[in-house]
């Protein structure tokens, strides 16, 4: 497959691994900030190839995992309303709210559908004028432009039976929250390549400077990740703290201007609560007043819905990089993908689920 | 202290209602079977976990199986529900080493189904039965009110004869056995998904649905002492291996680079965030054969047009029952776990 196989070559990978072994002189801890990267690291067994003492931590990079319980409970309340067609990306369906998940609401008769894009949900609204079509807009800056586009189009076409449950979150504020934590274990970051494809790299300079931490914008294939790790380690070994771009084939420093303009037109930056972490100021995207009629939270009057997190779940510490999944006392016993205590065990991109699925037994 | 053998009330299930995942071929489905169907005293007299039951009939052995087909859409690139209903049941018989002979067909029709569509499905079943050398000998039809079924559901049951000297069963799997797959994986699931979701791929993916009879017969003709077979339907290759490893009490180690996946399927999976190893097939199987016979078995499979892409993908190892792991192309290891239910497409 062009543009994929080239980035998965075992020989090239081993050259990077050898270079890393040669470069590392002391223990370092890096954090990748994107669920897709977490997934690839575990799927290809990349962390097992690294020199001892070089630790990878998995950050709050899974949008499914960080969607707050309140937001999920709102989603469940809306999806349960008669006449609603509730559209969501697939992996949100199994994430537990306070008591249920979207799949069980669906089993109880709600019309919950998996879509691959918010534009598909918009097309449904056009086809089903008698129904209220709601799109569950989760994700980082990567998926937000498509959500913005769908709302913008709904307004342009006068489609009043479409709305958005906006739960988009922003990466840089979350990185700052992790960096500002007194117990921080992170020496360097791999920044999320696809987020930067949209937003560019400007937000990271101030973080790198203020916290003296190297940040390498990194792609998702094994060779991307190994090269990103190598660049980050090289900076640490040299005592540098700069923003570098490993993923230059997709990321340009200014990012994607039309997508940013679309985001700017439809969304404004709002405070958002992250599951497992808590409130982070200016870390989410909410609909602007001009789009209030397409705001599902307002339309269905669920603003006051609250949520309760399972008291035993330590996903907050996992998401902040303070705890590796197997270090959690509930991991693999009281907390499994069938009976998840928290979202990190549910989503296929969640760090706990990745460890459970790929690493439950030690050794080959 | 209650013992497992004389519980008077069923253990509470985690779910009070049936979830889609209970039919997804993963962990929840196993739970359902164990906690409801095999709850002591079991409703099923046959507690062997196998694609079909092998029962004595006089001095001979009879294989019996049943399967229902509820696929949406009913027509997809490379096949349709009628073909599936014949091939699927034939394949379940073949997986126990049987030669399929007879099928029954039960139809549940929803009021309003187009007569022409039913005709097409039945014609397709007739053709598939002819191709497999089985006879449709009995049937049943029920019509339900509009809204009570999704157009058309088909159940087919099958009976076949297990020739003398064949013993195909997960119990026979041994550490050291070679694991073969009869072709590239995931085509059927992606073909159905592409129609269901209106996804247009540059290279259209065709379903792999086909009968496995010729491949299994080729193995026996070549003198291979086949230990176990499993068709890689719901939950794909990974789930089939998990089931066999659990039921055989062994571990399995796969080589990622050996598993054949065609480029269109692999591209579609990359795009959708699905793992091709968990995507359904309808004309593929895994075979566990003794190591010394692995090359002969592979040659036998490849000698048939349906098995040209057959590959040796791993081996059975000593280790915890049900552990299936994969050596990645980079040399790391990961588990191939039984999924909870259906795979859900990833967001990014």
């Amino acid at each position: 497959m062009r543009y994929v196989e080239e980035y998965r070559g075992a020989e090239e990978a081993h050259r990077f691994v050898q270079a890393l072994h040669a470069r590392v002189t002391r223990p370092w801890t890096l954090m990748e900030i994107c669920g897709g990267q977490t997934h690839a690291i575990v799927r290809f067994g990349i962390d097992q190839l690294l020199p001892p003492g070089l630790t990878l931590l998995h950050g709050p990079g899974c949008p499914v995992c960080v969607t707050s319980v309140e937001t999920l409970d709102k989603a469940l309340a809306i999806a349960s309303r008669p006449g609603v067609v509730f559209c969501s990306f697939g992996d949100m369906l199994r994430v537990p709210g306070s008591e249920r998940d979207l799949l069980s609401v669906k089993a109880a008769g709600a019309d919950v559908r998996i879509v691959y894009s918010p534009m598909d949900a918009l097309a449904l609204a056009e086809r089903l004028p008698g129904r209220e079509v709601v799109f569950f807009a989760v994700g980082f800056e990567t998926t937000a432009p498509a959500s913005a586009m769908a709302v913008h189009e709904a307004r342009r076409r006068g489609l009043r039976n479409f709305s958005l449950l906006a739960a988009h979150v922003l990466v840089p504020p979350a990185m700052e929250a992790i960096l500002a934590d007194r117990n921080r274990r992170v020496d360097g970051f791999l920044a999320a390549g696809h987020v930067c494809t949209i937003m560019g790299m400007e937000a990271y300079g101030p973080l790198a400077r203020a916290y003296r931490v190297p940040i390498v914008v990194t792609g998702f294939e094994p060779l991307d990740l190994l090269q990103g790790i190598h660049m980050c380690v090289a900076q640490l070994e040299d005592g540098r703290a700069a923003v570098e771009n490993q993923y230059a084939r997709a990321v340009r420093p200014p990012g994607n201007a039309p997508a940013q303009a679309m985001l700017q037109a439809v969304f404004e930056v709002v405070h958002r609560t992250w599951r497992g972490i808590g409130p982070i100021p200016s870390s989410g995207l909410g609909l602007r007043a001009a789009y209030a009629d397409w705001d599902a939270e307002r339309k269905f009057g669920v603003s006051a819905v609250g949520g309760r997190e399972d008291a035993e779940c330590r996903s907050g510490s996992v998401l902040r990089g303070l705890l590796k999944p197997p270090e959690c006392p509930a991991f693999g016993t009281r907390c499994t993908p069938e009976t998840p205590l928290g979202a990190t065990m549910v989503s296929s991109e969640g760090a706990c689920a990745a460890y459970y699925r790929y690493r439950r037994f030690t050794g080959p | 202290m209650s013992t497992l053998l004389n519980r008077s009330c069923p253990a509470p299930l985690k779910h009070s209602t049936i979830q889609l995942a209970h039919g997804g071929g993963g962990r929840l489905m196993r739970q359902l079977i164990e906690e409801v169907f095999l709850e002591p005293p079991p409703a099923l007299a046959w507690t062997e976990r196998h694609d079909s039951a092998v029962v004595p009939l006089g001095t001979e052995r009879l294989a019996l199986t049943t399967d229902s087909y509820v696929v949406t859409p009913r027509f997809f690139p490379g096949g349709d529900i009628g073909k599936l209903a014949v091939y699927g049941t034939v394949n379940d018989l073949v997986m126990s080493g049987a030669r399929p002979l007879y099928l029954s067909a039960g139809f549940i029709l929803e009021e309003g189904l187009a007569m022409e569509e039913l005709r097409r499905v039945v014609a397709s079943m007739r053709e598939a039965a002819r191709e497999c050398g089985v006879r449709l000998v009995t049937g049943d039809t029920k019509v339900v009110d509009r809204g009570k079924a999704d157009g058309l559901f088909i159940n087919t049951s099958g009976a076949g004869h297990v020739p003398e000297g064949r013993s195909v069963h997960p119990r026979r799997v041994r550490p050291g056995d070679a694991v073969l797959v009869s072709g590239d994986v995931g085509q059927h699931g992606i073909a159905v998904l592409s129609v269901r979701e209106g996804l247009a791929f540059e290279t259209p993916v065709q379903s792999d649905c086909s009968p496995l009879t010729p491949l299994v017969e080729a193995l026996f003709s070549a003198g291979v002492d086949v230990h176990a077979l499993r068709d890689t339907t719901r939950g794909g290759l990974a789930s089939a291996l998990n089931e066999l490893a659990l039921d055989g009490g062994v571990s399995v180690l796969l080589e990622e680079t050996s598993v054949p996946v065609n480029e269109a399927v692999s591209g579609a999976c990359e795009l959708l965030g699905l793992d091709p190893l968990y995507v359904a097939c309808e004309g593929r199987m895994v075979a566990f054969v003794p190591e010394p016979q692995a090359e002969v078995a592979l040659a036998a499979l490849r000698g048939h047009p349906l098995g040209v892409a057959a590959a040796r993908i791993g081996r059975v190892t000593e280790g915890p029952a049900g552990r299936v792991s994969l050596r990645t192309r980079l040399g790391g290891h990961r588990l191939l776990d039984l999924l909870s239910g259906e795979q859900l497409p990833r967001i990014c």
Side-chain angles (χ1 to χ4, degrees):
Chain A
M1 204 181 348
R2 281 180 65 207
Y3 310 124
V4 173
E5 291 302 321
E6 297 87 332
Y7 301 102
R8 295 185 179 177
E11 270 177 48
E12 297 87 335
H14 284 289
R15 276 204 292 279
F16 275 122
V17 170
Q18 279 164 351
L20 268 170
H21 279 264
R23 199 75 168 80
V24 171
T25 62
R26 58 188 141 144
W28 298 112
T29 298
L30 310 185
M31 178 184 268
E32 89 278 353
I33 199 80
C34 171
Q37 291 172 339
T38 306
H39 197 78
I41 286 165
V42 186
R43 177 178 161 196
F44 290 99
I46 289 169
D47 50 337
Q48 300 163 338
L49 308 172
L50 301 180
L54 181 55
T55 307
L56 289 179
L57 285 177
H58 314 300
C62 162
V64 173
C65 302
V66 301
T67 300
S68 69
V69 182
E70 296 90 69
T71 305
L72 265 155
D73 285 352
K74 285 170 187 172
L76 295 165
I78 293 170
S80 309
R81 298 276 175 93
V84 165
V85 179
F86 194 85
C87 301
S88 167
F89 291 131
D91 46 6
M92 284 307 294
L93 265 56
R94 262 202 285 265
V95 181
S98 297
E99 284 164 4
R100 300 174 298 167
D101 57 20
L102 282 165
L103 278 177
S104 49
V105 170
K106 178 173 186 285
D111 191 344
V112 177
R113 305 187 192 188
I114 293 179
V115 294
Y116 296 89
S117 150
M119 296 307 277
D120 295 349
L122 188 72
L124 264 180
E126 213 153 18
R127 273 214 310 278
L128 304 168
R131 308 281 301 275
E132 277 291 343
V133 177
V134 182
F135 177 70
F136 195 3
V138 296
F140 290 100
E141 295 91 330
T142 325
T143 51
S147 300
M149 185 59 147
V151 180
H152 177 79
E153 274 297 298
R155 193 172 87 159
R156 197 182 62 81
R157 299 182 206 170
L159 280 173
R160 301 227 155 242
N161 65 329
F162 176 80
S163 57
L164 207 66
L165 179 57
H168 286 297
V169 281
L170 303 171
V171 168
M175 283 170 72
E176 176 133 40
I178 289 162
L179 286 167
D181 193 317
R182 274 179 303 113
N183 302 319
R184 156 159 87 103
R185 285 166 63 179
V186 184
D187 301 311
F189 272 112
L190 304 183
H194 288 158
V195 168
C196 298
T197 308
I198 304 291
M199 302 307 287
M201 295 161 52
E202 282 152 21
Y204 301 100
L207 287 178
R209 281 191 296 278
Y211 295 94
R212 294 282 313 141
V213 63
I215 299 175
V216 180
V217 175
T218 304
F220 298 81
E221 293 299 333
L223 293 186
D224 288 323
L225 286 156
L226 285 164
Q227 188 178 28
I229 292 166
H230 186 267
M231 288 163 76
C232 206
V233 164
Q235 283 202 52
L236 288 166
E237 290 284 345
D238 297 344
R240 291 180 297 123
V243 179
E244 290 177 339
N245 185 6
Q246 178 280 329
Y247 201 36
R249 70 178 183 279
V251 175
R252 287 168 310 141
N256 177 337
Q260 289 171 24
M262 180 55 75
L263 286 180
Q264 190 59 30
V266 175
F267 290 122
E268 59 192 2
V269 174
V270 295
H271 297 323
R272 181 130 294 152
T273 299
W274 292 51
R275 189 168 199 165
I277 295 180
I280 303 180
S282 309
S283 66
L285 294 174
L287 285 163
R288 289 186 181 277
Y291 292 90
D293 292 353
W294 288 270
D295 185 341
E297 216 170 309
R298 257 181 55 127
K299 191 179 230 178
F300 296 93
V302 292
S303 303
V305 170
R308 277 181 306 97
E309 186 65 272
D310 189 285
E312 196 181 2
C313 180
R314 307 276 307 275
S315 62
S317 302
V318 171
L319 291 167
R320 286 200 301 273
L322 305 176
L323 191 75
K324 284 204 130 180
E327 296 166 354
C328 171
F331 177 81
T333 51
R334 287 179 307 284
C335 181
T336 67
E338 283 73 48
T339 54
L341 295 178
T344 42
M345 186 54 99
V346 178
S347 162
S348 60
E349 293 183 19
C352 299
Y355 270 79
Y356 184 88
R357 276 191 57 193
Y358 296 144
R359 292 294 160 73
R360 211 164 56 256
F361 302 99
T362 48
Chain B
M1 283 292 288
S2 72
T3 69
L4 279 180
L5 296 172
N6 55 11
R7 271 183 308 187
S8 53
C9 74
L13 279 168
K14 184 185 162 275
H15 294 281
S16 56
T17 57
I18 289 290
Q19 310 288 307
L20 265 182
H22 283 123
R27 198 177 297 279
L28 274 180
M29 192 161 138
R30 271 188 94 88
Q31 262 177 26
L32 177 77
I33 291 169
E34 275 160 24
E35 293 175 7
V36 176
F37 299 119
L38 300 184
E39 165 74 22
L44 284 175
W46 191 259
T47 56
E48 296 278 347
R49 294 183 165 282
H50 210 354
D51 285 339
S52 47
V54 177
V55 293
L57 186 70
T59 57
E60 298 295 326
R61 287 180 302 158
L62 178 74
L64 286 174
T65 190
T66 186
D67 205 339
S68 301
Y69 300 86
V70 297
V71 62
T72 326
R74 287 187 282 279
F75 298 87
F76 44 83
D80 58 75
I81 190 171
K83 250 198 187 110
L84 273 191
V86 173
Y87 292 159
T89 295
V90 161
N91 290 346
D92 280 348
L93 291 171
V94 172
M95 292 302 99
S96 56
R99 289 188 174 134
L101 297 168
Y102 305 109
L103 295 188
S104 71
F107 295 86
I108 295 174
L109 311 174
E110 186 189 13
E111 181 185 25
L113 175 73
M115 196 63 79
E116 186 45 38
E117 191 167 344
L118 183 60
R119 273 184 213 282
R120 275 176 68 195
V121 170
V122 173
S124 176
M125 288 176 81
R126 197 181 300 125
E127 174 54 30
R130 200 190 50 74
E131 184 189 356
C132 297
V134 294
R135 291 166 62 198
L136 279 156
V137 289
T138 181
D140 171 62
T141 306
K142 294 282 185 295
V143 179
V144 297
D145 293 339
R146 186 181 275 274
K148 292 279 167 69
D150 188 13
L152 164 66
F153 297 148
I154 303 176
N155 171 278
T156 46
S157 295
H161 173 246
V162 184
E164 183 83 25
R166 293 185 183 183
S167 172
V168 182
H169 199 283
R171 265 196 319 263
R172 295 200 59 221
V173 171
R174 295 282 172 273
D177 280 359
V179 181
L180 314 179
V181 67
S182 67
D184 60 303
V185 298
Q187 284 195 47
H188 173 75
I190 295 297
V192 169
L193 194 71
S194 67
V195 183
R196 190 186 296 162
E197 307 293 345
L199 303 167
F201 300 119
E202 213 168 291
T203 331
V205 178
Q206 295 275 322
S207 167
D208 46 36
C209 79
S210 55
L212 293 166
T213 324
L215 293 179
V216 173
E217 291 302 324
L219 288 175
F220 284 113
S221 306
V224 178
D225 176 22
V226 179
H227 285 175
L229 298 165
R230 185 63 50 103
D231 53 353
T232 56
T233 50
R234 259 176 314 188
L237 174 72
S239 306
L241 290 171
N242 265 280
E243 287 171 14
L244 278 174
L246 274 167
D247 300 337
V250 294
S251 289
V252 171
L253 178 62
L254 287 193
E255 293 293 333
E256 183 173 41
T257 45
S258 311
V259 180
V261 184
N262 90 28
E263 194 154 295
V265 168
S266 149
C269 286
E270 287 291 335
L271 199 71
L272 299 169
L274 297 173
D275 185 342
L277 302 182
Y278 288 92
V279 176
C281 317
E282 282 292 350
R284 298 286 182 263
M285 64 176 188
V286 285
F288 286 57
V289 301
E291 162 65 30
Q293 295 186 306
E295 289 310 312
V296 172
L298 197 55
L301 292 173
R302 287 180 177 166
H304 190 279
L306 290 171
V308 282
R312 183 173 173 168
I313 54 173
R315 59 190 166 84
V316 177
T317 59
E318 302 268 6
R323 183 176 78 176
V324 180
S325 51
L326 177 92
R327 217 165 66 93
T328 73
R329 60 175 70 209
L330 304 185
H333 283 87
R334 67 170 155 121
L335 276 183
L336 277 185
D337 204 8
L338 207 51
L339 296 183
S340 302
E342 301 274 348
Q343 261 199 115
L344 297 172
R346 276 171 45 219
I347 161 175
C348 64

